[in-house]
């Protein structure tokens, strides 16, 4: 995986990000190290379980202004990766490649997603020319029948052909990028095809698949989900074995399959307070097309608007800190209950991250990119967090 270009700002931010990941404070030192920027909320296919088909009146269908995007570009100088995405098809934005070019100027790793129909000859040339680092292709079926049903409006043969053509163009141009991966939503329609999808990915030169479970938006579709079933577990194990054999990396991202189901909240006990944390709340910036920022896909409230207020002020404002503090105080939000990101903010995690901060500082020092004043400042911040750890212990 190609890394972002090391810079003074990025190296300092990396050290501070480890301090933030200790979860010893609700205030953050680093700026977001990961951005999801929703530049496009337009799509031209009709997946049957997508919110666009189920809640058409609630789905946005707009585009981010490129001029507004340039207001926040400076903050990508601190980050590791930016996902230029949207609840739609990013390549439909007429200025998509302008976004990529502008982001690449900062040396950041760039990523996007697609339904695969947009990987036509013209776009393939621009993908190579702009140096786009990564593309996640939504691919939900190992054969034409299943794929064309689950990705209605896309065509199995066309998408496979586009992927093959892009891989061939990379070879012709001697380009290692973009790295391609499959993003596959698993349901009763395709669960038995998981091993076949691994085999197909290998055939197409794709070395990573991220499986996730279907989010059923209506109760009547609950039976379509296979989350937490023996059927899914069995197919996933077969896919992992196939992946190990073929050299394909297999991941699973658990999502809450039933958003309409209200799970009981754990009782808050002030005498036996459990400190919780979510890495995303301390490191992630999700920005929609109008500039609203939040740090969680499932938490509805926005922290502020970064087209109107600088990112550092929004990321560390009272709303953002209160959200982090609620977890550290043991008060969970409903959206946290079944989230795979939720974890205990333990002393052990804090110790490890402080050690990681020391290692990152040593790496930054060795780069020669930091001034003596930068190093002194980071050493002071690490010392401060060691005090926090001692107080917690």
């Amino acid at each position: 995986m190609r890394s972002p270009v090391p810079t003074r700002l990025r190296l300092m931010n990396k050290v501070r990000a480890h301090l933030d990941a200790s979860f010893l404070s609700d205030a953050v030192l680093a700026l977001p190290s990961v951005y999801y920027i929703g530049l496009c909320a337009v799509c031209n296919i009709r997946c049957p379980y997508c919110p666009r088909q189920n809640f058409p009146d609630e789905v946005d269908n707009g585009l981010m202004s490129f001029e507004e995007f340039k207001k926040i570009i400076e903050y990508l100088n601190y980050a590791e990766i930016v996902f230029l995405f949207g609840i739609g098809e990013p390549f439909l934005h007429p200025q998509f490649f302008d976004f990529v070019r502008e982001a690449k100027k900062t040396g950041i790793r760039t990523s996007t997603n697609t339904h695969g129909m947009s990987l036509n000859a013209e776009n393939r040339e621009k993908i190579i020319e702009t140096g786009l680092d990564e593309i996640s292709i939504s691919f939900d079926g190992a054969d034409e029948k299943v794929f064309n049903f689950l990705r209605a409006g896309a065509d199995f043969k066309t998408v496979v052909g586009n992927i093959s053509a892009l891989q061939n163009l990379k070879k012709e141009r001697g380009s290692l990028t973009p790295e391609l991966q499959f993003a596959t939503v698993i349901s009763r329609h395709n669960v038995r095809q998981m091993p076949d999808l691994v085999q197909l990915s290998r055939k197409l030169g794709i070395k990573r698949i991220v499986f996730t479970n279907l989010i059923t938006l209506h109760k009547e579709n609950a039976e379509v989900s296979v989350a937490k079933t023996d059927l899914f577990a069995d197919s996933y194990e077969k896919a992992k074995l196939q992946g190990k054999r073929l050299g394909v990396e297999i991941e699973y991202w658990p999502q809450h399959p039933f958003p309409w189901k209200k799970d009981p909240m754990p009782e808050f006990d002030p005498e036996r307070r459990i400190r919780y944390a979510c890495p995303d709340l301390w490191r992630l910036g999700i920005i929609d097309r109008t500039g609203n920022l939040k740090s969680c896909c499932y938490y509805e409230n926005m922290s502020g608007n970064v087209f109107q207020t600088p990112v550092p002020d929004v990321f560390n404002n009272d709303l953002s800190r209160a959200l982090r503090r609620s977890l550290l105080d043991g008060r969970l939000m409903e959206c946290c209950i079944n989230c795979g990101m939720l974890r205990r903010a333990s002393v052990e995690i804090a110790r490890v991250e402080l050690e990681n901060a020391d290692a990152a500082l040593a790496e930054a020092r060795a780069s020669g990119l930091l001034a003596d004043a930068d190093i002194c400042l980071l050493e002071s911040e690490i010392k401060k967090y060691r005090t926090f750890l001692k107080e917690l212990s």
Side-chain angles (χ1 to χ4, degrees):
M1 179 179 289
R2 178 175 291 185
S3 299
V5 176
T7 63
R8 170 181 169 269
L9 295 178
R10 200 161 277 135
L11 290 170
M12 293 186 71
N13 208 63
K14 185 176 181 180
V15 176
R16 288 168 167 162
H18 283 300
L19 294 177
D20 291 337
S22 69
F23 309 126
L24 292 169
S25 173
D26 59 57
V28 291
L29 296 172
L31 286 173
S33 55
V34 179
Y35 283 96
Y36 284 84
I37 298 181
L39 55 89
C40 182
V42 177
C43 195
N44 56 354
I45 69 171
R46 305 172 304 281
C47 303
Y49 300 108
C50 177
R52 292 182 170 280
Q53 277 59 255
N54 290 271
F55 302 102
D57 296 335
E58 299 178 23
V59 176
D60 179 29
N61 282 289
L63 303 173
M64 178 178 285
S65 160
F66 181 62
E67 294 305 313
E68 294 277 43
F69 171 73
K70 289 195 288 188
K71 292 180 180 179
I72 61 173
I73 195 69
E74 64 179 288
Y75 302 111
L76 300 189
N77 285 294
Y78 297 81
E80 301 290 316
I81 186 169
V82 57
F83 295 88
L84 300 169
F85 85 123
I87 309 301
E89 174 62 18
F91 287 96
L92 292 178
H93 197 302
Q95 292 182 279
F96 172 75
F97 291 102
D98 292 331
F99 284 84
V100 177
R101 291 185 186 96
E102 197 71 17
K104 292 293 291 185
K105 290 178 184 178
T106 70
I108 197 172
R109 179 176 172 84
T110 54
S111 178
T112 194
N113 62 283
T114 180
H115 51 44
M117 297 295 288
S118 298
L119 301 178
N120 54 47
E122 179 183 357
N123 283 340
R124 291 195 293 268
E125 291 285 348
K126 292 180 180 178
I127 287 168
I128 300 297
E129 179 261 316
T130 56
L132 182 64
D133 292 288
E134 176 185 271
I135 301 177
S136 181
I137 303 164
S138 298
F139 207 99
D140 294 344
D143 60 43
E144 189 171 359
K145 180 179 179 181
V146 173
F147 180 96
N148 288 359
F149 169 71
L150 291 173
R151 310 295 301 167
D155 176 72
F156 179 82
K157 291 180 180 178
T158 301
V159 174
V160 168
N162 286 343
I163 293 170
S164 296
L166 179 55
Q167 297 286 44
N168 289 334
L169 186 62
K170 286 167 56 181
K171 291 179 182 178
E172 290 174 14
R173 302 294 165 80
S175 177
L176 297 176
T177 59
E179 297 171 12
L180 305 182
Q181 70 174 32
F182 278 166
T184 302
V185 178
I186 296 300
S187 65
R188 291 200 177 274
H189 298 289
N190 62 358
V191 62
R192 292 180 174 84
Q193 292 192 341
M194 292 171 74
D196 297 328
L197 282 160
V198 177
Q199 189 167 353
L200 177 60
S201 70
R202 175 59 179 170
K203 181 180 178 182
L204 293 172
I206 292 175
K207 298 181 179 179
R208 184 168 182 255
I209 301 182
V210 179
F211 292 112
T212 189
N213 43 273
L214 177 71
I215 299 176
T216 58
L217 301 173
H218 294 295
K219 291 182 180 180
E220 54 266 32
N221 289 330
E223 73 282 356
V224 181
S225 171
V226 290
K228 300 180 180 180
T229 65
D230 291 340
L231 177 58
F232 173 82
D234 180 62
S235 293
Y236 183 57
E237 286 303 313
K238 290 178 180 177
K240 286 199 298 183
L241 289 173
Q242 186 79 296
K244 186 175 181 180
R245 185 175 69 84
L246 297 176
V248 177
E249 181 183 353
I250 306 298
E251 290 190 16
Y252 169 59
W253 172 243
Q255 297 189 93
H256 190 14
F258 311 120
W260 38 265
K261 183 179 179 181
K262 304 303 180 183
D263 292 307
M265 294 287 289
E267 185 176 347
F268 176 68
D269 183 357
E271 298 299 323
R272 185 177 172 273
R273 192 179 74 182
I274 299 174
R275 298 176 77 252
Y276 293 103
C278 169
D280 284 353
L281 295 186
W282 274 260
R283 69 172 185 131
L284 183 63
I286 303 171
I287 302 172
D288 70 16
R289 72 173 187 90
T290 63
N292 291 317
L293 180 144
K294 59 180 182 177
S295 296
C296 172
C297 292
Y298 302 106
Y299 185 66
E300 295 182 356
N301 296 338
M302 302 293 178
S303 297
N305 190 288
V306 296
F307 292 162
Q308 300 168 7
T309 306
V311 169
D313 294 342
V314 175
F315 200 52
N316 229 7
N317 65 13
D318 290 343
L319 289 173
S320 297
R321 291 188 63 176
L323 185 55
R324 298 183 197 111
R325 173 50 53 190
S326 66
L327 291 184
L328 293 176
D329 285 343
R331 299 180 185 274
L332 297 179
M333 282 69 68
E334 185 177 349
C335 60
C336 298
I337 302 304
N338 288 287
C339 182
M341 297 300 292
L342 185 68
R343 61 202 60 189
R344 298 284 184 93
S346 66
V347 171
E348 290 73 19
I349 286 177
R351 287 199 184 102
V352 168
E353 290 301 335
L354 292 186
E355 291 174 2
N356 290 338
D358 285 332
L361 178 57
E363 178 185 343
R365 190 198 305 265
S367 74
L369 295 174
L370 268 57
D372 290 342
D374 297 330
I375 294 171
C376 287
L377 177 59
L378 292 172
E379 288 176 338
S380 174
E381 290 171 345
I382 292 174
K383 183 178 180 180
K384 178 182 177 182
Y385 271 65
R386 291 202 179 280
T387 301
F388 290 165
L389 177 59
K390 185 176 180 181
E391 293 172 351
L392 180 64
S393 303

